[in-house]
Amino acid sequence: MELMYVVELVVEGHNPFERAVAHVADWLSDPEAPLTPDDLVSNGARELSPAWTPDGRHARNGEWEVLGTGDHRALKMLVSQAVGTDLELSTRVSVTDVDGVVRCRVGIGRETTTQRLIPVGTTRIYQPRILRSLDGDDSLTLRAGGQIVNGRYIAVRTTTEAVTVANILASEDRLPLALIHVRSPDTWNLARELSRKLLGLVRTVTVNFETARVIAEAQPEVRVPFGGLSIVWPGMGARTLTFSAEEISELGVEEIRHFLTRRLGALAALGNGEDRAWRRVRSLAENVLLAELSEKASRAREGGDTQGEISALKQQVETLEAAKAELEAIGEEAFQQADQSARLARQLESERNQAREETGVWRTAYQNLAAGKPTADPEPDDPWSLVPMLVPRTDPEKTFLAITDAASERIVFTDRARKSWSSIAYPEPEDMTEKLKALARAAMVLYDGEEKSIPHLDDWLKDKFGLTVALTDQNISKWKRKDMRWLNGFQFEGRTLDATPHVKVRDAVKFNECGRIHFALEGKGQEGRLVVQHVGVKAYS
């Protein structure tokens, strides 16, 4: 069998073993083929609920084994499904409790069901739902290699956070890091996808233009492409794997996720091929059983019970043969060398991948040169110059994300802000764009964490950034208070904010030309930001 994917997690919390087993049962159950935790307290086998993938519906069968001795216990589930005429996919899930440490291990492998020598194509690997179920259980905490893992990306917004990330990059005791410069819808979707569907294989970290620059200054070999992705390996012993903004756009989020799942899953399988926790519980249970059978044989011998002695000895032989068969099935001899060879294997793997990647880079560069194209886009010195202009009656998300990135996330935009611009045909989009950029620059200074004297914020915004700002509006806060609740008392990321303050983009003109940018002031110091709730025309007539 070819082992293609392994994730092993330490599960902590309230009754972690029982809850993990319950999640296994729920994962494999449906009304037509129910499976409960009570079914998994002893050995068994049955047809399971079908698996649904983008490739279609696949029938599944499962068999499981339960072990227990003293304070140690374990459940091992083997789920098999046909994914082609001559190919079978197997998912092995074990839940173990050894010395009070509960682990859940998921491995995916494939093998042919025929002896014929025929080509086998790439098998797409999808994260089993059991991992998402464990992550979604608020009573449990998951760890991989000592790190807390979950389905959320880590947002690195400040230079202090960037320095912290740079300091841990050289550590070997960590998961690979996916550093994503988020400044487009594609990169935000990629961050969400990788954090949810590469659980236990990689930690996803989002950076902006400024924090990416700080990391690159501290670790020159770790440069996140502008609007792109970098995979930084533990210890940085292998070259960083990168995807440019253009490659992300061309390949798409799903294809990149598939590529990384296959690459990272295979590397995890290479270094963690043996289920050591299961083997320990199995070995302890076998030792206890052999000791009991030996005692039984001795008593029978002393009592002259020849048949009883033969029966006990026969059971001992059967137990040893079963253990031998399992060792042969999982290739125990190879796994005994895993610790010594894992580091060398990873090194050879990285060197081979690096050679392949460099070959691809040179091939692409040659093709571009032959076509008269530049080999690479230069990294911009000024992200503000690449902010797209707003276009009336279109989704402003690209512009908003680019402004958020350039301002080091000192300004953010709500869904309501996007909708407010998408629904209008504002006649001066260039002016609105420039006002948003000026407001974002002001947010960077306002929330840079340095002490400053600002007696009157509206005067400061006018003098320093040329913005005409009203901090109050009686129509919004008093006369139309209930009607304007979407503006003066809206919810954003768990907080109630007031976006009565607004920039007057144009005034004393027709109503459909009277531009407004409504924003709330959230927090203070380096942790503060402006939250924009409305970009469009005046909110009331």
Side-chain angles (χ1 to χ4, degrees), residues 35 46 54 57 119 137 142 153 158 177 179 207 229 238 249 262 270 284 393 398 402 435 512 524 527 541:
L35 187 68
R46 70 172 59 175
R57 182 178 186 269
D137 190 332
L142 308 179
Y153 55 80
T158 67
L177 293 182
L179 302 179
V207 296
L229 158 71
S249 178
R262 188 173 69 249
L270 191 65
L284 290 171
R393 287 194 183 279
K398 290 184 178 179
K435 292 296 193 298
N512 67 323
K524 59 182 179 179
E527 299 300 320
S541 57

Side-chain angles (χ1 to χ4, degrees), residues 189-339:
N189 290 337
L190 183 62
R192 286 187 284 264
E193 184 78 357
L194 298 189
S195 61
R196 290 172 49 244
K197 296 186 179 178
L198 291 181
L199 191 72
L201 292 177
V202 69
R203 282 299 269 160
T204 303
V205 178
T206 63
V207 296
N208 53 51
F209 182 82
E210 179 64 16
T211 54
R213 183 189 62 78
V214 171
I215 292 172
E217 286 182 351
Q219 301 285 1
E221 61 272 44
V222 180
R223 291 189 175 275
V224 185
F226 188 80
L229 158 71
S230 288
I231 301 294
V232 186
W233 306 105
M236 298 191 297
R239 194 185 67 145
T240 300
L241 174 63
T242 62
F243 291 85
S244 67
E246 292 75 15
E247 288 172 329
I248 292 175
S249 178
E250 291 174 5
L251 293 172
V253 171
E254 175 62 21
E255 192 60 34
I256 293 175
R257 182 209 60 80
H258 168 60
F259 171 83
L260 292 177
T261 301
R262 188 173 69 249
R263 170 72 63 83
L264 296 169
L267 289 174
L270 191 65
N272 302 282
E274 182 185 7
D275 189 349
R276 293 181 177 84
W278 167 262
R279 284 297 311 146
R280 183 175 178 191
V281 177
R282 179 63 181 260
S283 179
L284 290 171
E286 288 169 351
N287 291 340
V288 170
L289 179 57
L290 288 172
E292 291 175 351
L293 292 173
S294 179
E295 178 67 22
K296 182 178 178 181
S298 296
R299 289 197 305 268
R301 187 183 305 113
E302 293 171 358
D305 183 1
T306 304
Q307 288 300 115
E309 181 182 3
I310 292 174
S311 175
L313 292 173
K314 183 178 179 181
Q315 291 179 61
Q316 281 183 292
V317 172
E318 291 174 348
T319 300
L320 290 170
E321 287 181 342
K324 178 176 177 290
E326 182 180 15
L327 292 177
E328 290 175 347
I330 66 174
E332 181 67 5
E333 183 177 351
F335 288 136
Q336 287 176 351
Q337 303 298 323
D339 289 338

Side-chain angles (χ1 to χ4, degrees), residues 76-192:
K76 184 176 184 180
M77 170 74 71
L78 173 62
V79 181
S80 303
Q81 66 186 64
V83 293
T85 306
D86 300 309
L87 195 65
E88 185 174 78
L89 200 67
S90 299
T91 303
R92 285 175 167 82
V93 178
S94 65
V95 182
T96 57
D97 184 352
V98 179
D99 296 327
V101 178
V102 176
R103 288 181 171 84
C104 181
R105 185 179 190 274
V106 180
I108 300 177
R110 65 175 184 172
E111 57 186 333
T112 60
T113 56
T114 176
Q115 296 295 319
R116 292 178 296 160
L117 295 179
I118 57 175
V120 176
T122 301
T123 300
R124 287 190 173 262
I125 301 297
Y126 299 94
Q127 176 178 270
R129 185 169 60 86
I130 176 63
L131 293 175
R132 293 196 295 277
S133 296
L134 290 171
D135 179 48
D137 190 332
D138 293 336
S139 69
L140 299 178
T141 298
L142 308 179
R143 297 181 186 273
Q147 304 169 76
I148 292 180
V149 297
N150 52 50
R152 295 178 292 279
Y153 55 80
I154 301 170
V156 177
R157 300 188 177 99
T158 67
T159 56
T160 301
E161 293 168 343
V163 170
T164 300
V165 171
N167 289 339
I168 68 171
L169 290 180
S171 171
E172 294 190 357
D173 299 325
R174 63 169 176 81
L175 292 174
L177 293 182
L179 302 179
I180 305 178
H181 178 198
V182 284
R183 71 178 317 274
S184 69
D186 285 340
T187 48
W188 276 112
N189 290 337
L190 183 62
R192 286 187 284 264

